[in-house]
Amino acid sequence: MTDAVKGPAGYFPSIEKQYGRPIAKWKDLIRSSPLTKHMEIVGWLKAEHGLGHGHANALVAHTLAEDKNK
């Protein structure tokens, strides 16, 4: 029995399916953005790339957490 993915990564399969880009590409976009604040990046993903709020928020939260732990 496998445990379901929890937290922001739980959105990843639907993000890839709905927007047609692998998660690694979204993370690259986030990391290449000159923006640094969580909600600024969320707003940018929504406005420039058409993501829904929950999907954008999940991507930003996961990416920033990864970078913080490096």
Side-chain angles (χ1 to χ4, degrees):
M1 182 161 134
T2 60
D3 292 329
V5 175
K6 295 181 181 175
Y11 284 95
F12 289 178
S14 62
I15 292 170
E16 289 181 331
K17 182 178 179 182
Q18 186 166 346
Y19 303 105
R21 233 180 230 184
I23 295 304
K25 295 293 183 188
W26 288 113
K27 289 181 178 186
D28 289 344
L29 271 175
I30 291 166
R31 290 180 175 124
S32 70
S33 168
L35 304 171
T36 57
K37 294 184 179 175
H38 180 103
M39 289 309 295
E40 290 176 342
I41 302 169
V42 169
W44 172 72
L45 288 171
K46 290 168 62 175
E48 296 296 320
H49 299 283
L51 270 73
H53 182 81
H55 287 159
N57 191 55
L59 282 167
V60 174
H62 196 272
T63 304
L64 294 180
E66 267 187 350
D67 292 352
K68 184 179 179 181
N69 293 327
K70 284 186 177 179

